[in-house]
């Protein structure tokens, strides 16, 4: 399919075309990357924007249940919902389960919804490298809300805040200690903390947990992009569909305030700048993954192991071979330095 034809199909909101466009964006082939860039540039002229909601939480907290119940509620309000779910990839095999459509059975069958699972591969931050491209494609396809589900809580997963307008942290009742090592960074990035499973015997515990985190949020430094009362903590039961309209009302209140006070456009501009810098780093690192670079790295690594060359010298030798115009060659290190 021609890029112009694919772009028109995406703009019409055709799900198959959107799936194909995301596959093209996620491809690592050089020709596919060129086509994906052309496609994104063509679609960028549409000016369409969705509300981007990032969502993270500890394993077993009920992220998929929350997203399905929340998404169905939004559809009932006449909105179109896209879900980009990032699954962890095995370090040994490189594979991912990608079972989110199975876990979101009812939402996946709704014609107003689009669910796309993607492997995280080796990319840090809880999101796949091309998730931002996928978000832009979903916006161009006319979706009103794009939910980005990360692989789980970790220090580096605050990266999801750099591609979302509102970042939700999902917690389970009485789950305080499991976040001791990571909650500082993730809480500082969160716009709302949502305590799930506030039903049955856990309802009272969820209320106490919500109160604890409300107190913790008041101790954090207030951010200029937050109105009075944010960030805040709330309780919900995704299983019983309790509290979900309240979460959406608070999200819209935050979005409307940020738009009215100029934080929305500034935040998106800053995110675009950070993702340009990230793309630049990833592109540079990709040059180290070519077959020639891998072979050179293996040879130099063997010499380092044998003590035949210093690690710094080996690294500079490799960089000089890959980027002769910018890297310091070993010869330049041996040259006498000019005195100031």
């Amino acid at each position: 399919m021609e890029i112009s034809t694919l772009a028109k199909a995406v703009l019409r909101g055709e799900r198959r075309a959107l799936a194909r466009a995301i596959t093209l964006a996620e491809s690592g082939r050089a020709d596919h990357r060129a086509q994906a860039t052309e496609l994104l540039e063509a679609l960028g002229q549409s000016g369409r924007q969705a509300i981007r909601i990032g969502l993270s939480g500890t394993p077993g907290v009920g992220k998929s249940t929350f997203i399905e119940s929340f998404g169905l509620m939004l559809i009932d309000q006449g909105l179109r919902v896209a879900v980009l779910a990032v699954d962890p990839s095995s370090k040994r095999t490189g594979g991912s389960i990608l079972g989110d459509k199975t876990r979101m059975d009812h939402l996946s069958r709704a014609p107003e919804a689009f669910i796309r699972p993607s492997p995280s591969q080796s990319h840090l931050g809880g999101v796949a490298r091309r998730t931002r491209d996928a978000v832009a494609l979903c916006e161009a396809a006319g979706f009103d809300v794009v939910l980005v589900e990360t692989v789980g809580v970790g220090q580096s997963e605050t990266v999801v805040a750099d591609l979302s307008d509102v970042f939700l942290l999902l917690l389970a009742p009485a789950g305080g200690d499991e976040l001791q090592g990571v909650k500082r960074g993730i809480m500082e990035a969160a716009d709302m903390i949502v305590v799930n499973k506030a039903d049955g015997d856990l309802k009272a515990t969820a209320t106490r947990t919500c109160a604890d985190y409300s107190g913790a949020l008041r101790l954090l430094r207030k951010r200029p992009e937050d109105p009075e009362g944010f960030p805040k903590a709330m309780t919900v039961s995704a299983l019983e569909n309790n509290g979900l309209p309240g979460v959406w009302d608070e999200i819209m209140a935050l979005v409307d305030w940020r738009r009215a006070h100029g934080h929305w456009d500034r935040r998106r501009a800053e995110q675009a700048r950070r993702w340009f810098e990230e793309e630049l780093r990833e592109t540079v690192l990709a040059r180290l993954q070519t077959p020639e670079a891998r072979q050179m790295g293996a040879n130099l690594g063997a010499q380092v192991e044998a003590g035949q060359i210093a690690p710094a010298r080996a690294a500079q030798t490799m960089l000089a071979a890959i980027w002769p115009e910018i890297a310091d060659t070993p010869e330049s290190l041996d040259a006498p330095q000019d005195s100031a």
Side-chain angles (χ1 to χ4, degrees):
M1 186 182 294
E2 293 290 333
I3 294 300
S4 59
T5 304
L6 181 59
K8 292 176 182 177
V10 171
L11 289 172
R12 288 194 299 268
E14 296 182 11
R15 290 153 60 104
R16 182 173 296 182
L18 176 58
R20 185 168 184 175
I22 294 177
T23 298
L24 184 67
E26 291 179 342
S27 174
R29 281 176 41 175
D31 57 334
H32 287 175
R33 289 304 313 144
Q35 291 176 324
T37 300
E38 181 184 349
L39 176 63
L40 288 164
E41 288 178 340
L43 294 174
Q45 306 302 317
S46 68
R48 294 176 177 175
Q49 285 189 342
I51 296 177
R52 307 170 183 172
I53 301 176
L55 190 141
S56 188
T58 53
V61 74
K63 293 192 295 293
S64 296
T65 304
F66 175 85
I67 289 174
E68 181 170 51
S69 299
F70 192 66
L72 290 172
M73 181 202 69
L74 296 179
I75 289 173
D76 288 340
Q77 296 185 15
L79 302 176
R80 298 181 67 211
V81 180
V83 179
L84 302 175
V86 183
D87 273 2
S89 298
S90 170
K91 291 185 177 181
R92 292 197 298 175
T93 66
S96 297
I97 297 175
L98 304 180
D100 296 274
K101 286 189 176 181
T102 303
R103 293 197 295 266
M104 305 177 195
D105 182 46
H106 292 89
L107 185 62
S108 64
R109 288 181 289 178
E112 301 86 359
F114 176 83
I115 301 177
R116 174 71 181 216
S118 299
S120 64
Q121 298 175 333
S122 60
H123 189 65
L124 296 177
V127 296
R129 180 182 175 187
R130 299 299 173 190
T131 298
R132 189 178 187 279
D133 292 345
V135 170
L137 291 169
C138 290
E139 287 185 316
F143 285 92
D144 303 296
V145 179
V146 180
L147 291 163
V148 182
E149 177 193 1
T150 70
V151 299
V153 164
Q155 281 285 19
S156 62
E157 292 203 48
T158 54
V159 173
V160 73
D162 288 339
L163 56 82
S164 59
D165 301 312
V166 179
F167 179 34
L168 304 185
L169 175 60
L170 217 62
L171 298 179
D177 288 343
E178 63 190 87
L179 284 176
Q180 289 303 321
V182 299
K183 68 180 180 183
R184 182 66 182 182
I186 202 90
M187 283 181 62
E188 287 176 336
D191 295 305
M192 292 176 60
I193 291 179
V194 179
V195 182
N196 194 20
K197 302 184 180 182
D199 48 56
D201 295 338
L202 290 175
K203 188 171 184 178
T205 306
T207 302
R208 289 195 299 270
T209 302
C210 180
D212 290 342
Y213 279 101
S214 294
L217 288 173
R218 286 194 291 268
L219 298 177
L220 297 179
R221 181 180 301 172
K222 185 173 177 59
R223 303 174 301 185
E225 67 269 23
D226 290 336
E228 189 64 32
F230 282 88
K232 64 174 51 181
M234 301 180 66
T235 60
V236 302
S237 171
L239 190 63
E240 297 181 351
N241 293 321
N242 291 330
L244 299 179
V247 171
W248 178 242
D249 290 343
E250 294 294 347
I251 289 174
M252 289 307 301
L254 179 60
V255 167
D256 291 341
W257 188 88
R258 285 177 173 172
R259 280 175 169 162
H261 290 77
H263 296 291
W264 175 278
D265 293 333
R266 179 187 57 78
R267 183 183 176 102
R268 288 220 168 181
E270 291 175 352
Q271 289 174 352
R273 175 63 178 265
R274 283 194 290 269
W275 278 89
F276 152 70
E277 295 169 352
E278 179 66 21
E279 182 66 23
L280 187 62
R281 284 191 293 269
E282 293 287 346
T283 302
V284 170
L285 291 174
R287 295 188 64 174
L288 298 176
Q289 302 302 318
T290 63
E292 297 79 8
R294 285 177 177 269
Q295 184 60 50
M296 178 180 293
N299 295 337
L300 288 170
Q303 295 179 41
V304 170
E305 288 180 353
Q308 299 171 356
I309 185 173
R313 180 73 66 181
Q316 289 159 355
T317 299
M318 186 165 179
L319 289 176
I322 298 175
W323 294 287
E325 67 279 8
I326 63 172
D328 289 329
T329 63
E331 289 76 14
S332 68
L333 295 177
D334 296 331
Q337 302 295 316
D338 293 334
S339 58

